[in-house]
Amino acid sequence: MSADLSRLSLNTATTKAWTLREAVDGAVRAGLPAIGLWRDRVQEAGLAEAAKIVADAGLRVSSLCRGGFLTADDDAAARAALDDNRRAIAEAATLGTRELIMVVGGLPGGVDLVGARRRVADRIGELAPSAAEHGVRLVLEPLHPMFVADRAVISTLGQALDIAEPFPADVVGVVVDTYHVWWDPDLQHQIARAGVAGRIAGYQVCDWVLPLAADALLSRGHVGDGYIDVPTITGWVAQAGYTGDVEVEIFNQAIWDTPGDETLATLTERYVGHVLPHL
Amino acid sequence: MSADLSRLSLNTATTKAWTLREAVDGAVRAGLPAIGLWRDRVQEAGLAEAAKIVADAGLRVSSLCRGGFLTADDDAAARAALDDNRRAIAEAATLGTRELIMVVGGLPGGVDLVGARRRVADRIGELAPSAAEHGVRLVLEPLHPMFVADRAVISTLGQALDIAEPFPADVVGVVVDTYHVWWDPDLQHQIARAGVAGRIAGYQVCDWVLPLAADALLSRGHVGDGYIDVPTITGWVAQAGYTGDVEVEIFNQAIWDTPGDETLATLTERYVGHVLPHL
């Protein structure tokens, strides 16, 4: 009997060497029903062509990554960021996904973290009408606190939910990425809170391996190779009522240097062993 | 008019190349009234001799670093850790400080973060009577979440306060280290909570510089060189009623390679510019 892969999604960042078409073909060969897209891969193929490639293959698009970078403290940069996010919203709609992952940006040259966080909340408010109009959800991604200075001033799931709270659950959601949130003493509670609010828009899995890579962004590993208790966190996500796709998103040079089919075989095996029994 | 350095303390880790005696002499030359000691420097000098060197120089000992590493999941290792912590408590008393900084340890080979955190709370309970008997406070240090796997499963000030709560405030406290907690969206609130509870046992300052060093532990910089809003956080600590010493604790190879007197001049200048006006 083959395992149930009906919720497993390949995030294209995991097979970085592959074009969009290669990733789609690889996912299909591996028996996966879904794919998480990054905008750079979509732009290489062209938006209409990308949408066609995915649709022709019969894959779901579990998410589009990414909008965000909303922390600029000057008006011109802020307007440019909002414009780019409106384009991302339209792209998500064209690609047939309602989940647009938002990496909200770091500190734009100063130390005013409180102010940067306020700007993010304000600008999500500015984007919400456009998202609602396109049937797209702005999915706030808390990033690990080691990325707060340069990448995302949303650092915890609780903070993401606080920012989401004023908006309808189908317009602003959150994504749970094990790499970013596994350390949080309040994680179980906040996942439950996200479930009650109907805001869990995605679940991404990978592992925390040591030592950290020279570029800390690339320190992720396959599920089961590191310190994250993925079974327990998966159980919390399942108890919170999440029934959507599980994306495997790994940034790691050694994995990028591995043939894509091999990576897909490994991530599928780890999904079946560490995730599926707890969903 | 010279600046008021009456609350500035040199943590010996900042001038790593110096022996204890050299660090004491350097602090005195720079006009500092206090020093934060690491156990390795104390052991090199010998405990009684170390206590004498510091006392003869007329310095306060703002803290002893460190106890902890309490997460072992086998009995022999746990017993050894408790014994070592009892020795550290006695050393703190001998050195004339009541603040023993606790770095509680990471994951000892497994992925059971919830269990490791429970063991820390239990073992703080086992050590509390010994601490109380010696007039020493166990000072829980939340470490940045990037160290949760290998160094400390206490990741936020709120979590440290939750663990401290069952114990008297003069037996279990917390230390606020800007490097470890600056990213926390709940920081202002938790500092205020710590103040109300009378548990702020120390305040340590340094900055978050990018890129992260290959050894992430060594990524700290002088206050003012990075992304941390030290004035704002200092204001929160002051508003919480903290009147104790401010330790400068920096792990950074370039700073360790700098002559100690130069490092002391820089950290004093930064203290006067970024910290003192907000105390």
Side-chain angles (χ1 to χ4, degrees):
Chain A
M1 200 182 84
S2 66
D4 175 9
L5 305 183
S6 63
R7 294 174 65 184
L8 179 55
S9 176
L10 171 67
N11 184 292
T12 58
T14 305
T15 50
K16 191 185 166 79
W18 273 350
T19 64
L20 179 70
R21 184 180 296 275
E22 287 169 336
V24 164
D25 290 347
V28 168
R29 270 196 307 279
L32 273 56
I35 194 161
L37 300 176
W38 277 65
R39 289 177 77 197
D40 55 353
R41 285 280 162 283
V42 169
Q43 277 154 12
E44 280 166 16
L47 177 61
E49 179 65 13
K52 185 172 184 318
I53 290 169
V54 176
D56 286 352
L59 293 182
R60 272 193 309 279
V61 179
S62 48
S63 72
L64 177 64
C65 204
R66 63 195 184 197
F69 293 91
L70 292 171
T71 51
D73 57 0
D74 69 285
D75 287 348
R79 257 197 317 277
L82 290 169
D83 287 348
D84 183 60
N85 275 277
R86 291 194 183 94
R87 281 193 295 276
I89 289 167
E91 287 169 24
T94 301
L95 292 164
T97 181
R98 50 172 295 103
E99 314 297 0
L100 175 63
I101 307 290
M102 304 288 284
V103 174
V104 299
L107 291 172
V111 299
D112 182 15
L113 180 55
V114 172
R117 286 171 163 163
R118 197 180 312 118
R119 290 196 291 278
V120 166
D122 291 346
R123 288 168 192 165
I124 292 296
E126 291 192 56
L127 291 171
S130 171
E133 188 186 314
H134 284 84
V136 166
R137 174 149 64 175
L138 305 171
V139 180
L140 305 179
E141 178 156 20
L143 254 60
H144 193 285
M146 74 180 164
F147 301 120
V148 66
D150 52 347
R151 207 159 285 269
V153 295
I154 296 184
S155 305
T156 66
L157 190 55
Q159 183 197 2
L161 289 167
D162 289 345
I163 294 174
E165 208 155 71
F167 306 99
D170 59 352
V171 176
V172 182
V174 297
V175 56
V176 177
D177 180 324
T178 54
Y179 189 77
H180 291 307
V181 301
W182 72 285
W183 57 271
D184 186 350
D186 204 27
L187 185 59
Q188 183 177 12
H189 168 70
Q190 295 298 339
I191 287 174
R193 176 185 167 206
V196 169
R199 293 194 196 268
I200 305 180
Y203 180 46
Q204 298 179 327
V205 295
C206 72
D207 215 329
W208 178 275
V209 293
L210 288 179
L212 291 180
D215 177 350
L217 257 192
L218 308 189
S219 295
R220 297 169 173 228
H222 277 293
V223 168
D225 284 348
Y227 291 88
I228 303 180
D229 189 350
V230 173
T232 294
I233 296 174
T234 301
W236 294 342
V237 170
Q239 284 157 33
Y242 180 68
T243 57
D245 291 319
V246 180
E247 278 186 21
V248 178
E249 184 186 45
I250 309 177
F251 312 132
N252 177 307
Q253 194 60 53
I255 292 174
W256 289 341
D257 293 341
T258 302
D261 286 323
E262 207 173 300
T263 295
L264 267 159
T266 304
L267 71 83
T268 299
E269 177 206 322
R270 302 302 173 87
Y271 173 81
V272 171
H274 297 255
V275 178
L276 185 57
H278 310 277
L279 275 181
Chain B
M1 198 181 85
S2 66
D4 175 9
L5 306 184
S6 64
R7 294 174 65 184
L8 178 56
S9 176
L10 171 67
N11 185 293
T12 58
T14 304
T15 49
K16 191 185 166 78
W18 272 350
T19 63
L20 180 70
R21 185 181 295 274
E22 288 169 335
V24 164
D25 290 348
V28 169
R29 271 196 306 278
L32 273 55
I35 194 160
L37 300 175
W38 276 66
R39 289 178 77 197
D40 54 353
R41 285 281 162 284
V42 170
Q43 278 154 11
E44 281 166 15
L47 177 61
E49 179 64 14
K52 185 172 183 320
I53 291 170
V54 176
D56 287 352
L59 293 182
R60 272 193 308 280
V61 179
S62 47
S63 71
L64 177 64
C65 204
R66 62 196 185 193
F69 292 92
L70 293 170
T71 50
D73 57 359
D74 69 284
D75 287 349
R79 257 197 317 277
L82 290 169
D83 287 348
D84 183 61
N85 276 276
R86 291 194 184 95
R87 280 193 296 275
I89 289 167
E91 288 168 24
T94 301
L95 291 164
T97 180
R98 50 172 295 103
E99 313 298 0
L100 175 63
I101 307 289
M102 304 288 286
V103 173
V104 300
L107 292 172
V111 298
D112 182 14
L113 180 55
V114 172
R117 286 172 163 162
R118 198 180 312 116
R119 290 195 293 277
V120 166
D122 290 348
R123 288 168 192 166
I124 292 296
E126 291 192 56
L127 292 172
S130 170
E133 188 187 314
H134 284 84
V136 167
R137 174 149 65 174
L138 305 171
V139 180
L140 305 179
E141 178 157 18
L143 254 59
H144 194 284
M146 72 179 165
F147 300 120
V148 66
D150 52 348
R151 207 158 285 268
V153 295
I154 296 184
S155 306
T156 66
L157 190 56
Q159 183 197 1
L161 289 167
D162 288 346
I163 294 174
E165 208 154 70
F167 307 99
D170 59 352
V171 176
V172 183
V174 297
V175 56
V176 177
D177 180 325
T178 55
Y179 189 77
H180 291 308
V181 301
W182 72 285
W183 58 270
D184 186 350
D186 205 27
L187 185 59
Q188 183 177 11
H189 168 70
Q190 295 298 340
I191 288 174
R193 177 186 166 205
V196 168
R199 294 195 196 267
I200 306 181
Y203 179 46
Q204 298 178 328
V205 295
C206 72
D207 215 329
W208 177 275
V209 293
L210 288 179
L212 290 180
D215 177 350
L217 257 192
L218 307 189
S219 294
R220 297 170 174 228
H222 277 293
V223 169
D225 284 349
Y227 290 88
I228 303 181
D229 189 351
V230 173
T232 294
I233 296 173
T234 300
W236 294 342
V237 170
Q239 283 157 34
Y242 181 69
T243 58
D245 291 319
V246 180
E247 277 187 23
V248 178
E249 184 186 45
I250 309 176
F251 313 132
N252 177 308
Q253 193 60 53
I255 292 173
W256 289 342
D257 293 340
T258 301
D261 286 322
E262 206 173 299
T263 296
L264 266 159
T266 303
L267 70 82
T268 299
E269 177 207 323
R270 303 302 174 88
Y271 173 81
V272 171
H274 297 256
V275 179
L276 185 57
H278 310 278
L279 276 180

